[in-house]
Amino acid sequence: DQQVKQNSPSLSVQEGRISILNCDYTNSMFDYFLWYKKYPAEGPTFLISISSIKDKNEDGRFTVFLNKSAKHLSLHIVPSQPGDSAVYFCAASESNDYKLSFGAGTTVTVRA
Amino acid sequence: EPEVTQTPSHQVTQMGQEVILRCVPISNHLYFYWYRQILGQKVEFLVSFYNNEISEKSEIFDDQFSVERPDGSNFTLKIRSTKLEDSAMYFCASSVEGLFSPLHFGNGTRLTVT
């Protein structure tokens, strides 16, 4: 399933700086998008979501941007903190569909 | 904060054996799911469940798999005759609604088939 792609397997960022994670999708029927964070030995934890009627959603340090024409979304984390070091998954679904399609994940390392 | 709980955290079984993975979803959630992640691969959808029946399933979810909500709190995944390729981390999830509703995941059961 290549419908959701995270082309950067890893990202290293200094504490206090911005982390930008990218995600591309191929299915034009996707209209709900989510970001999850995952620590080792734990399940994915929901971070933030956005529906296709919006192009931005913000929750504290996390902001998701959606560019429907480019089939691209991004997650901005500002400022990055050591506890943000984790694997981040992008996921998407269609409005009449119960399943989420996941990207392969991006491992973020926040350096002190 | 309410959470999805899964037991056991690790299950080792021999090929051909039946295995049951257990989950307790968040109490006010109505939709339940199983996903799995084979080592080094993406998280994959297996099945969704609502109102005591399967609402959607993937190609992976063949006749060897079944789900059940035996009482008001548990949600189980059964694999009748395990294969080596069933070795994976299995995640249970639940959501308040089925669509446009974020899924909340448990910590997973690592299934190892030998």
Side-chain angles (χ1 to χ4, degrees):
Chain A
D1 180 0
Q2 296 295 314
Q3 297 188 92
V4 179
K5 298 179 185 178
Q6 294 177 256
N7 292 318
S8 298
S10 63
L11 172 70
S12 180
V13 64
Q14 195 163 14
E15 183 179 2
R17 307 295 287 268
I18 184 171
S19 294
I20 300 177
L21 293 86
N22 294 302
C23 177
D24 297 294
Y25 61 95
T26 57
N27 185 348
S28 58
M29 299 299 291
F30 284 151
D31 53 10
Y32 183 55
F33 305 89
L34 310 91
W35 284 94
Y36 283 86
K37 177 169 79 171
K38 186 181 181 304
Y39 294 120
E42 294 185 12
T45 301
F46 170 70
L47 274 178
I48 192 168
S49 63
I50 188 168
S51 71
S52 59
I53 61 172
K54 302 175 88 171
D55 55 17
K56 177 182 174 181
N57 189 26
E58 190 172 351
D59 184 1
R61 296 186 297 115
F62 302 94
T63 303
V64 56
F65 296 92
L66 176 62
N67 183 333
K68 291 185 289 293
S69 61
K71 295 192 180 70
H72 177 84
L73 64 155
S74 61
L75 175 69
H76 292 205
I77 307 172
V78 183
S80 299
Q81 299 174 352
D84 295 333
S85 295
V87 179
Y88 289 78
F89 293 100
C90 170
S93 70
E94 301 178 26
S95 58
N96 62 347
D97 202 343
Y98 293 98
K99 67 176 184 287
L100 292 179
S101 295
F102 280 83
T106 297
T107 300
V108 172
T109 303
V110 179
R111 310 184 310 271
Chain B
E1 185 177 327
E3 58 182 30
V4 176
T5 57
Q6 291 185 243
T7 55
S9 57
H10 191 187
Q11 175 87 48
V12 181
T13 189
Q14 287 193 325
M15 192 168 52
Q17 295 296 304
E18 175 183 285
V19 66
I20 297 176
L21 309 183
R22 302 182 191 279
C23 169
V24 178
I26 295 173
S27 60
N28 64 331
H29 287 190
L30 301 177
Y31 294 80
F32 314 113
Y33 312 83
W34 284 100
Y35 284 74
R36 79 175 185 187
Q37 185 177 27
I38 294 171
L39 189 63
Q41 297 187 23
K42 290 185 178 183
V43 177
E44 304 173 287
F45 169 79
L46 292 178
V47 66
S48 60
F49 190 87
Y50 169 71
N51 200 24
N52 284 319
E53 61 182 30
I54 291 173
S55 45
E56 189 172 355
K57 60 182 180 179
S58 71
E59 294 174 351
I60 304 167
F61 195 88
D62 61 22
D63 292 343
Q64 293 301 310
F65 291 86
S66 62
V67 289
E68 191 179 28
R69 187 156 164 82
D71 52 44
S73 60
N74 290 284
F75 180 52
T76 62
L77 174 69
K78 181 192 290 186
I79 309 175
R80 289 190 184 82
S81 178
T82 50
K83 302 188 280 285
L84 294 176
E85 53 265 38
D86 292 329
S87 294
M89 182 71 86
Y90 287 80
F91 293 107
C92 174
S94 66
S95 63
V96 174
E97 298 171 356
L99 303 174
F100 297 104
S101 181
L103 273 61
H104 296 265
F105 286 84
N107 285 336
T109 293
R110 179 168 298 285
L111 177 65
T112 303
V113 183
T114 62

